[in-house]
Amino acid sequence: MRNRSGRGRIVTCAVAVGALIMTGCASVGQQSAKPGAPGTMSGSSGPTGQINVYAAASLTSPFTRIGKQLESTHPGLKVVLVFAGSSELVSQLSAGAKGDVFASADEANMDKVLRAGLVGAEKPKLFAANHLAIVTAPGNPHGISSLSDLVKPNVSVVVCAEQVPCGGATKRVLKKAGVGLNPVSEENSVTSVLGKVTSGQADAGLVYRTDAQVAGSAVARVDFPESDAVVNRYSIAVMNDSGNKKGSDLFVAEVTGPEGQKVLREYGFVKP
């Protein structure tokens, strides 16, 4: 039976610099914060209060940095970041979780919140794109150089579950390559896939190129040509029931603006 232990891990916590490859969520401020706390406005020109940003796990590093930058330039603003697989976040939001902003790793999951009437009047904005890569243990001990190498009998492979954006991309890229995998585990977020490889629980995994970049020397990255034809486009929107519209609009503007785009490029994301 496949291990699906990576599902359902949504935790609110203080940002820790060494935890960038773990699925979870983060408060950019100094103390943990409870998602759902309403924003409070002051007479200042900038937003204050708390905003709760529900974002795809692959956005952990750049969004954490963007959130810290906003808190630095707007001292009265507190950014609480909740990270998980996009489909998991949609389930949480649909069940009543109080999010102010939603950032999806694909357009399909954003369409779900649109159909549910959870997103505000403004159309979701595309802000980044990503491609897949293979990651292995450092040194690539099994000599993996292509997707077809992942079917070797002595290679254990972990992937994202199909309903997760990285899982949907995995299905498309395998079909394009004509490769059939029998993974030892299907995870509910791309960071969980990465964690299985870095912890030695799997020999290889399919993750986004950006996650491989963040992992650095903890993995060996193997690019493959079929990945270039399969792209996931990221979109972001303010939720209808946002308790802090001003702060939410500012976060979206930062992500889609020059400074946010610069941060995203530094972490390997490309233009949508």
Side-chain angles (χ1 to χ4, degrees):
M1 181 178 295
R2 292 173 179 169
N3 175 11
R4 302 179 184 271
S5 62
R7 297 182 176 177
R9 300 173 56 193
I10 298 183
V11 182
T12 303
C13 54
V15 168
V17 174
L20 295 181
I21 63 171
M22 294 180 65
T23 299
C25 47
S27 169
V28 182
Q30 295 300 312
Q31 297 180 349
S32 61
K34 182 180 179 181
T40 56
M41 300 300 172
S42 71
S44 65
S45 60
T48 61
Q50 178 173 308
I51 57 171
N52 304 312
V53 179
Y54 280 63
S58 52
L59 294 166
T60 299
S61 296
F63 269 31
T64 297
R65 185 167 154 190
I66 290 170
K68 289 173 72 70
Q69 289 177 178
L70 278 180
E71 287 189 344
S72 176
T73 55
H74 297 78
L77 184 67
K78 186 177 184 65
V79 180
V80 176
L81 299 166
V82 182
F83 297 110
S86 297
S87 59
E88 174 83 8
L89 296 175
V90 170
S91 296
Q92 293 288 324
L93 292 167
S94 298
K98 297 301 181 182
D100 295 294
V101 176
F102 174 50
S104 175
D106 66 354
E107 294 173 87
N109 278 288
M110 181 59 78
D111 286 343
K112 291 178 183 178
V113 298
L114 277 169
R115 290 194 298 269
L118 299 176
V119 170
E122 291 188 15
K123 182 180 179 182
K125 297 179 180 179
L126 294 173
F127 66 92
N130 218 339
H131 299 267
L132 294 176
I134 299 168
V135 289
T136 75
N140 193 0
H142 290 277
I144 294 170
S145 61
S146 67
L147 283 175
S148 60
D149 287 336
L150 297 179
V151 302
K152 293 178 179 178
N154 62 332
V155 176
S156 59
V157 182
V158 61
V159 300
C160 289
E162 186 177 336
Q163 71 270 17
V164 184
C166 61
T170 296
K171 181 180 179 180
R172 298 196 306 273
V173 81
L174 291 174
K175 181 178 180 180
K176 187 172 186 65
V179 174
L181 288 183
N182 185 26
V184 297
S185 177
E186 293 181 347
E187 300 296 316
N188 208 34
S189 74
V190 68
T191 47
S192 293
V193 173
L194 187 62
K196 292 282 187 178
V197 177
T198 57
S199 65
Q201 297 179 65
D203 298 318
L206 280 163
V207 302
Y208 292 122
R209 293 175 184 174
T210 54
D211 294 281
Q213 178 174 318
V214 169
S217 61
V219 298
R221 169 177 157 177
V222 180
D223 291 321
F224 51 94
E226 295 87 354
S227 177
D228 291 333
V230 177
V231 57
N232 271 19
R233 293 178 174 84
Y234 290 60
S235 57
I236 189 169
V238 176
M239 306 301 292
N240 262 336
D241 61 353
S242 172
N244 191 343
K245 183 69 162 53
K246 193 172 182 180
S248 299
D249 286 342
L250 176 67
F251 188 88
V252 171
E254 187 75 6
V255 168
T256 58
E259 290 302 316
Q261 290 294 297
K262 180 181 177 182
V263 171
L264 287 159
R265 300 295 175 268
E266 290 178 9
Y267 284 99
F269 290 88
V270 297
K271 291 182 179 181

PDB file of all heavy atoms in Angstrom, residues 2-7 157-163 183-189 193:
ATOM      1  N   ARG A   2       0.506   2.220  -0.771  1.00  0.00           N
ATOM      2  CA  ARG A   2       1.307   3.432  -0.863  1.00  0.00           C
ATOM      3  C   ARG A   2       1.166   4.269   0.395  1.00  0.00           C
ATOM      4  O   ARG A   2       0.099   4.387   0.953  1.00  0.00           O
ATOM      5  CB  ARG A   2       0.892   4.254  -2.079  1.00  0.00           C
ATOM      6  CG  ARG A   2       1.249   3.557  -3.367  1.00  0.00           C
ATOM      7  CD  ARG A   2       0.673   4.311  -4.546  1.00  0.00           C
ATOM      8  NE  ARG A   2       1.035   3.659  -5.799  1.00  0.00           N
ATOM      9  CZ  ARG A   2       0.510   3.959  -6.955  1.00  0.00           C
ATOM     10  NH1 ARG A   2      -0.383   4.917  -7.044  1.00  0.00           N
ATOM     11  NH2 ARG A   2       0.878   3.325  -8.054  1.00  0.00           N
ATOM     12  N   ASN A   3       2.265   4.852   0.769  1.00  0.00           N
ATOM     13  CA  ASN A   3       2.292   5.706   1.934  1.00  0.00           C
ATOM     14  C   ASN A   3       1.840   7.101   1.562  1.00  0.00           C
ATOM     15  O   ASN A   3       2.425   7.736   0.706  1.00  0.00           O
ATOM     16  CB  ASN A   3       3.729   5.733   2.464  1.00  0.00           C
ATOM     17  CG  ASN A   3       3.902   6.683   3.615  1.00  0.00           C
ATOM     18  OD1 ASN A   3       2.918   7.184   4.162  1.00  0.00           O
ATOM     19  ND2 ASN A   3       5.146   6.926   3.986  1.00  0.00           N
ATOM     20  N   ARG A   4       0.777   7.602   2.170  1.00  0.00           N
ATOM     21  CA  ARG A   4       0.291   8.945   1.877  1.00  0.00           C
ATOM     22  C   ARG A   4       0.421   9.827   3.115  1.00  0.00           C
ATOM     23  O   ARG A   4      -0.400  10.667   3.397  1.00  0.00           O
ATOM     24  CB  ARG A   4      -1.155   8.891   1.399  1.00  0.00           C
ATOM     25  CG  ARG A   4      -1.299   8.017   0.164  1.00  0.00           C
ATOM     26  CD  ARG A   4      -2.736   7.937  -0.303  1.00  0.00           C
ATOM     27  NE  ARG A   4      -2.834   7.021  -1.416  1.00  0.00           N
ATOM     28  CZ  ARG A   4      -2.687   7.342  -2.668  1.00  0.00           C
ATOM     29  NH1 ARG A   4      -2.396   8.569  -2.987  1.00  0.00           N
ATOM     30  NH2 ARG A   4      -2.804   6.440  -3.647  1.00  0.00           N
ATOM     31  N   SER A   5       1.524   9.594   3.875  1.00  0.00           N
ATOM     32  CA  SER A   5       1.697  10.284   5.144  1.00  0.00           C
ATOM     33  C   SER A   5       1.965  11.750   5.008  1.00  0.00           C
ATOM     34  O   SER A   5       1.961  12.489   5.966  1.00  0.00           O
ATOM     35  CB  SER A   5       2.842   9.639   5.920  1.00  0.00           C
ATOM     36  OG  SER A   5       4.042   9.778   5.190  1.00  0.00           O
ATOM     37  N   GLY A   6       2.218  12.263   3.779  1.00  0.00           N
ATOM     38  CA  GLY A   6       2.523  13.676   3.602  1.00  0.00           C
ATOM     39  C   GLY A   6       1.296  14.563   3.613  1.00  0.00           C
ATOM     40  O   GLY A   6       1.395  15.765   3.489  1.00  0.00           O
ATOM     41  N   ARG A   7       0.064  13.981   3.724  1.00  0.00           N
ATOM     42  CA  ARG A   7      -1.156  14.781   3.603  1.00  0.00           C
ATOM     43  C   ARG A   7      -1.534  15.440   4.910  1.00  0.00           C
ATOM     44  O   ARG A   7      -1.316  14.922   5.981  1.00  0.00           O
ATOM     45  CB  ARG A   7      -2.296  13.889   3.131  1.00  0.00           C
ATOM     46  CG  ARG A   7      -2.016  13.321   1.748  1.00  0.00           C
ATOM     47  CD  ARG A   7      -3.162  12.494   1.260  1.00  0.00           C
ATOM     48  NE  ARG A   7      -2.897  12.054  -0.092  1.00  0.00           N
ATOM     49  CZ  ARG A   7      -3.697  11.277  -0.764  1.00  0.00           C
ATOM     50  NH1 ARG A   7      -4.823  10.870  -0.265  1.00  0.00           N
ATOM     51  NH2 ARG A   7      -3.378  10.905  -1.997  1.00  0.00           N
ATOM     52  N   VAL A 157      11.119   5.446  -6.107  1.00  0.00           N
ATOM     53  CA  VAL A 157      10.735   6.782  -6.566  1.00  0.00           C
ATOM     54  C   VAL A 157       9.517   7.275  -5.804  1.00  0.00           C
ATOM     55  O   VAL A 157       8.574   6.516  -5.545  1.00  0.00           O
ATOM     56  CB  VAL A 157      10.425   6.772  -8.078  1.00  0.00           C
ATOM     57  CG1 VAL A 157      10.071   8.178  -8.555  1.00  0.00           C
ATOM     58  CG2 VAL A 157      11.603   6.221  -8.864  1.00  0.00           C
ATOM     59  N   VAL A 158       9.522   8.555  -5.467  1.00  0.00           N
ATOM     60  CA  VAL A 158       8.377   9.179  -4.809  1.00  0.00           C
ATOM     61  C   VAL A 158       7.920  10.356  -5.668  1.00  0.00           C
ATOM     62  O   VAL A 158       8.742  11.057  -6.266  1.00  0.00           O
ATOM     63  CB  VAL A 158       8.741   9.630  -3.377  1.00  0.00           C
ATOM     64  CG1 VAL A 158       9.861  10.646  -3.380  1.00  0.00           C
ATOM     65  CG2 VAL A 158       7.532  10.174  -2.637  1.00  0.00           C
ATOM     66  N   VAL A 159       6.603  10.553  -5.749  1.00  0.00           N
ATOM     67  CA  VAL A 159       6.027  11.623  -6.571  1.00  0.00           C
ATOM     68  C   VAL A 159       4.903  12.298  -5.798  1.00  0.00           C
ATOM     69  O   VAL A 159       4.511  11.853  -4.716  1.00  0.00           O
ATOM     70  CB  VAL A 159       5.473  11.071  -7.906  1.00  0.00           C
ATOM     71  CG1 VAL A 159       6.567  10.412  -8.726  1.00  0.00           C
ATOM     72  CG2 VAL A 159       4.319  10.092  -7.658  1.00  0.00           C
ATOM     73  N   CYS A 160       4.374  13.374  -6.368  1.00  0.00           N
ATOM     74  CA  CYS A 160       3.192  14.024  -5.805  1.00  0.00           C
ATOM     75  C   CYS A 160       1.937  13.254  -6.215  1.00  0.00           C
ATOM     76  O   CYS A 160       1.885  12.676  -7.301  1.00  0.00           O
ATOM     77  CB  CYS A 160       3.074  15.450  -6.320  1.00  0.00           C
ATOM     78  SG  CYS A 160       4.313  16.598  -5.678  1.00  0.00           S
ATOM     79  N   ALA A 161       0.938  13.282  -5.357  1.00  0.00           N
ATOM     80  CA  ALA A 161      -0.353  12.692  -5.699  1.00  0.00           C
ATOM     81  C   ALA A 161      -0.949  13.457  -6.876  1.00  0.00           C
ATOM     82  O   ALA A 161      -0.698  14.648  -7.058  1.00  0.00           O
ATOM     83  CB  ALA A 161      -1.295  12.748  -4.497  1.00  0.00           C
ATOM     84  N   GLU A 162      -1.759  12.779  -7.672  1.00  0.00           N
ATOM     85  CA  GLU A 162      -2.251  13.353  -8.920  1.00  0.00           C
ATOM     86  C   GLU A 162      -3.057  14.632  -8.732  1.00  0.00           C
ATOM     87  O   GLU A 162      -3.018  15.531  -9.581  1.00  0.00           O
ATOM     88  CB  GLU A 162      -3.103  12.312  -9.663  1.00  0.00           C
ATOM     89  CG  GLU A 162      -3.557  12.748 -11.029  1.00  0.00           C
ATOM     90  CD  GLU A 162      -4.334  11.668 -11.768  1.00  0.00           C
ATOM     91  OE1 GLU A 162      -4.155  10.473 -11.446  1.00  0.00           O
ATOM     92  OE2 GLU A 162      -5.127  12.020 -12.657  1.00  0.00           O
ATOM     93  N   GLN A 163      -3.794  14.754  -7.618  1.00  0.00           N
ATOM     94  CA  GLN A 163      -4.633  15.942  -7.432  1.00  0.00           C
ATOM     95  C   GLN A 163      -3.826  17.187  -7.090  1.00  0.00           C
ATOM     96  O   GLN A 163      -4.333  18.307  -7.150  1.00  0.00           O
ATOM     97  CB  GLN A 163      -5.683  15.688  -6.340  1.00  0.00           C
ATOM     98  CG  GLN A 163      -5.138  15.616  -4.927  1.00  0.00           C
ATOM     99  CD  GLN A 163      -4.752  14.211  -4.522  1.00  0.00           C
ATOM    100  OE1 GLN A 163      -4.599  13.328  -5.360  1.00  0.00           O
ATOM    101  NE2 GLN A 163      -4.619  13.990  -3.219  1.00  0.00           N
ATOM    102  N   PRO A 183       5.539   4.333  -8.112  1.00  0.00           N
ATOM    103  CA  PRO A 183       6.177   5.015  -6.983  1.00  0.00           C
ATOM    104  C   PRO A 183       5.920   4.310  -5.659  1.00  0.00           C
ATOM    105  O   PRO A 183       4.883   3.685  -5.458  1.00  0.00           O
ATOM    106  CB  PRO A 183       5.547   6.402  -7.002  1.00  0.00           C
ATOM    107  CG  PRO A 183       4.231   6.209  -7.671  1.00  0.00           C
ATOM    108  CD  PRO A 183       4.450   5.141  -8.700  1.00  0.00           C
ATOM    109  N   VAL A 184       6.873   4.447  -4.755  1.00  0.00           N
ATOM    110  CA  VAL A 184       6.715   3.865  -3.419  1.00  0.00           C
ATOM    111  C   VAL A 184       5.846   4.757  -2.541  1.00  0.00           C
ATOM    112  O   VAL A 184       5.349   4.319  -1.503  1.00  0.00           O
ATOM    113  CB  VAL A 184       8.082   3.632  -2.749  1.00  0.00           C
ATOM    114  CG1 VAL A 184       8.892   2.622  -3.529  1.00  0.00           C
ATOM    115  CG2 VAL A 184       8.864   4.936  -2.597  1.00  0.00           C
ATOM    116  N   SER A 185       5.671   6.017  -2.944  1.00  0.00           N
ATOM    117  CA  SER A 185       4.874   6.945  -2.156  1.00  0.00           C
ATOM    118  C   SER A 185       4.340   8.054  -3.043  1.00  0.00           C
ATOM    119  O   SER A 185       5.010   8.488  -3.987  1.00  0.00           O
ATOM    120  CB  SER A 185       5.725   7.553  -1.031  1.00  0.00           C
ATOM    121  OG  SER A 185       4.995   8.506  -0.294  1.00  0.00           O
ATOM    122  N   GLU A 186       3.109   8.498  -2.756  1.00  0.00           N
ATOM    123  CA  GLU A 186       2.529   9.656  -3.420  1.00  0.00           C
ATOM    124  C   GLU A 186       2.195  10.675  -2.337  1.00  0.00           C
ATOM    125  O   GLU A 186       1.406  10.402  -1.444  1.00  0.00           O
ATOM    126  CB  GLU A 186       1.268   9.265  -4.198  1.00  0.00           C
ATOM    127  CG  GLU A 186       1.559   8.363  -5.387  1.00  0.00           C
ATOM    128  CD  GLU A 186       0.291   8.012  -6.146  1.00  0.00           C
ATOM    129  OE1 GLU A 186      -0.810   8.265  -5.604  1.00  0.00           O
ATOM    130  OE2 GLU A 186       0.389   7.479  -7.259  1.00  0.00           O
ATOM    131  N   GLU A 187       2.812  11.842  -2.438  1.00  0.00           N
ATOM    132  CA  GLU A 187       2.710  12.843  -1.383  1.00  0.00           C
ATOM    133  C   GLU A 187       1.741  13.967  -1.752  1.00  0.00           C
ATOM    134  O   GLU A 187       1.454  14.198  -2.926  1.00  0.00           O
ATOM    135  CB  GLU A 187       4.087  13.431  -1.091  1.00  0.00           C
ATOM    136  CG  GLU A 187       5.114  12.392  -0.632  1.00  0.00           C
ATOM    137  CD  GLU A 187       4.738  11.753   0.693  1.00  0.00           C
ATOM    138  OE1 GLU A 187       4.316  12.484   1.611  1.00  0.00           O
ATOM    139  OE2 GLU A 187       4.867  10.517   0.821  1.00  0.00           O
ATOM    140  N   ASN A 188       1.284  14.676  -0.720  1.00  0.00           N
ATOM    141  CA  ASN A 188       0.289  15.722  -0.921  1.00  0.00           C
ATOM    142  C   ASN A 188       0.905  17.105  -1.090  1.00  0.00           C
ATOM    143  O   ASN A 188       0.186  18.098  -1.151  1.00  0.00           O
ATOM    144  CB  ASN A 188      -0.699  15.750   0.247  1.00  0.00           C
ATOM    145  CG  ASN A 188      -2.057  16.264  -0.181  1.00  0.00           C
ATOM    146  OD1 ASN A 188      -2.495  16.034  -1.304  1.00  0.00           O
ATOM    147  ND2 ASN A 188      -2.731  16.982   0.705  1.00  0.00           N
ATOM    148  N   SER A 189       2.227  17.184  -1.170  1.00  0.00           N
ATOM    149  CA  SER A 189       2.895  18.453  -1.472  1.00  0.00           C
ATOM    150  C   SER A 189       4.266  18.145  -2.048  1.00  0.00           C
ATOM    151  O   SER A 189       4.867  17.100  -1.755  1.00  0.00           O
ATOM    152  CB  SER A 189       3.032  19.340  -0.230  1.00  0.00           C
ATOM    153  OG  SER A 189       4.032  18.849   0.636  1.00  0.00           O
ATOM    154  N   VAL A 193       7.675  15.437  -1.088  1.00  0.00           N
ATOM    155  CA  VAL A 193       8.449  14.605  -2.004  1.00  0.00           C
ATOM    156  C   VAL A 193       9.939  14.874  -1.812  1.00  0.00           C
ATOM    157  O   VAL A 193      10.755  13.956  -1.685  1.00  0.00           O
ATOM    158  CB  VAL A 193       8.047  14.873  -3.471  1.00  0.00           C
ATOM    159  CG1 VAL A 193       8.979  14.134  -4.431  1.00  0.00           C
ATOM    160  CG2 VAL A 193       6.605  14.456  -3.705  1.00  0.00           C
TER     161      VAL A 193
END
